[in-house]
Amino acid sequence: MKAASPPTLDSPPAGAERSARTAWAFALLGTVQAVLIFTLAALAVPLPRIGAEYGLRRADLILLNSAYGLTFAGLLLLGARLVDRHGARRVLTAGLLVFAAASLAAPFAPGYPTLLTARFAQGTGAALLAPAAMGLLRALFPDPLAHGRALATWGGLSLLGATAGTLLSGAISASVSWRWTFAVPLLVAVAGLALGPRLLPATAPPPPHEKRPALDLTGALLATSGIILASYGLVLTDARAWSSAAVLVPLLTGAVLLGAFLLAELRAPDPLLPPRFLLRPRRALALAAIALTATGTAITFLLLSLHLQQVRGWSPLENSGAFVPFAVALLCSSRAAGPLIARRGTVAVTATGLAVGAVGLALLSATGLDPELPYALGLLPGLVLLAAGAAAAFAGAAVLAAADVPPRQTGLAGGVLNTAMELGPTVVLALLLTFGGDARPLAAAGAGLGLTALGITTLRGRPHRLRSPSAARRTT
């Protein structure tokens, strides 16, 4: 008997077939988004082994670990504009090709320069993929209610990817080799290239009667150069003093370029990042929540991984196992976030998630780095609360950040959301390195989450519940 083939886009499907294709398409896009963040975290645990194999200095390891994030964050706004200008599916295909080629080259790297170049190239592909995936999400769920529910799930995928990166990279590097960690992004990229044309909706650039958004090369060059240089300067603070030329030159140059970018955007007829897009209090606070939640989890992964391996003497595999309860709590909270938003609204869920995450970070700062306390008493409670709160905060904030965005700016929304997710940890991680490896950064991140929760509770207007139109009419 002939096996059934996946649904295609040759003819409009109906009923159950349409629902099945939508579910498969969402699963594909969600997997791509999660793997982008998985790739960001994948080298953190096996980094010491890579350094020993290649004979690298600490500064080389820092740059290797940050290279992916530098180009990812730096090119996101340009990737977003390409999505809005040329269509999400075209840009997704281009991003998958770049991402797959880089992921294939990395494990065969004979030396540090090749591996570093591959990491930069992976980040370039990711900067195209992230906004394209969000653009396709809008095309896949054109109904506002369905799109809001999809965004609520989407918000937790990045945290899930980061957690999977920490869990799997330790297990893979302990059992075989760190080079096999690149098999995950490679397989997902190949699957995306094979299944995308059959599952994903076709998206096209604006029709001829509508004006295409300008590419804004000046703004793209200033933003990309500024973000990369400033982030690179911050990354170097681990190995160099803040007053050294190696830190000050890229840091100040990047700051000047970003200032020039803001001035250029105010004058540009079709700016890469319209200032009004960020000035809405609801969106600004949502982006702050995303940045701070990503920062809190990144700090937790880094500090606890260093503590468990260097202070407690745990193996990379044991280190990964310590985060299994975090992953379980994250999955449970992500699953509950959508229904909670439907009943309580995005503001309430986001603020509550931030508050719970703040309590988790406070517990970790108080007891998490105490080597005298057992794992179940010192680390576990804070990890579970942080995961539960972060997943809810991400889900609600993703819906808030993308609310009321017109279809022609879906790529921009995806680019800005992912930029907040990438730049937050980069900036605060540099401050963490200044403080040192104690628990103070955890307490500071918890305070930031708490203050943002208070800010979000002051938002006025509709609660942005995910309701059907008929339910909305019954409540008026």
Side-chain angles (χ1 to χ4, degrees), residues 233-331:
L234 289 171
V235 166
L236 286 183
T237 57
D238 180 74
R240 306 289 182 90
W242 280 85
S243 58
S244 66
V247 171
L248 284 178
V249 171
L251 192 59
L252 294 179
T253 304
V256 169
L257 291 173
L258 288 175
F261 166 70
L262 293 177
L263 291 176
E265 295 301 277
L266 290 173
R267 299 177 180 179
D270 194 0
L272 192 70
L273 179 60
R276 291 183 180 180
F277 189 83
L278 298 179
L279 292 180
R280 298 188 63 180
R282 190 179 298 272
R283 184 170 293 128
L285 283 170
L287 292 173
I290 289 170
L292 289 170
T293 304
T295 297
T297 54
I299 288 175
T300 300
F301 285 165
L302 176 62
L303 278 181
L304 295 190
S305 293
L306 292 174
H307 170 76
L308 292 174
Q309 294 186 65
Q310 296 179 355
V311 177
R312 299 200 183 193
W314 289 22
S315 68
L317 185 59
E318 290 172 320
N319 182 109
S320 296
F323 288 96
V324 169
F326 183 98
V328 173
L330 184 70
L331 288 170

Side-chain angles (χ1 to χ4, degrees), residues 357-413:
V359 173
L361 285 169
L363 286 177
L364 288 171
S365 69
T367 62
L369 300 185
D370 186 350
E372 301 300 322
L373 285 176
Y375 170 82
L377 295 178
L379 285 173
L380 186 59
L383 279 176
V384 170
L385 286 176
L386 175 60
F394 252 87
V399 178
L400 280 176
D404 304 323
V405 173
R408 61 184 178 83
Q409 289 186 326
T410 52
L412 174 63

Side-chain angles (χ1 to χ4, degrees), residues 209-250:
H209 64 274
E210 290 187 18
K211 182 182 177 182
R212 280 192 183 190
L215 193 55
D216 190 14
L217 287 176
T218 300
L221 181 61
L222 290 172
T224 300
S225 303
I227 290 173
I228 290 177
L229 283 173
S231 301
Y232 177 68
L234 289 171
V235 166
L236 286 183
T237 57
D238 180 74
R240 306 289 182 90
W242 280 85
S243 58
S244 66
V247 171
L248 284 178
V249 171

Side-chain angles (χ1 to χ4, degrees), residues 46-121:
L47 208 58
R49 296 193 175 193
I50 298 174
E53 181 174 332
Y54 286 141
L56 301 179
R57 301 170 300 171
R58 182 178 176 87
D60 296 328
L61 289 176
I62 294 169
L63 181 57
L64 179 62
N65 191 48
S66 306
Y68 175 82
L70 288 176
T71 48
F72 191 177
L75 292 170
L76 266 170
L77 290 179
L78 178 59
R81 175 50 57 91
L82 292 173
V83 169
D84 292 334
R85 181 177 169 85
H86 297 291
R89 204 169 86 173
R90 291 182 182 180
V91 177
L92 184 89
T93 301
L96 286 171
L97 287 170
V98 175
F99 197 68
S103 300
L104 180 61
F108 295 101
Y112 174 70
T114 307
L115 181 58
L116 182 64
T117 302
R119 286 289 282 175
F120 277 123

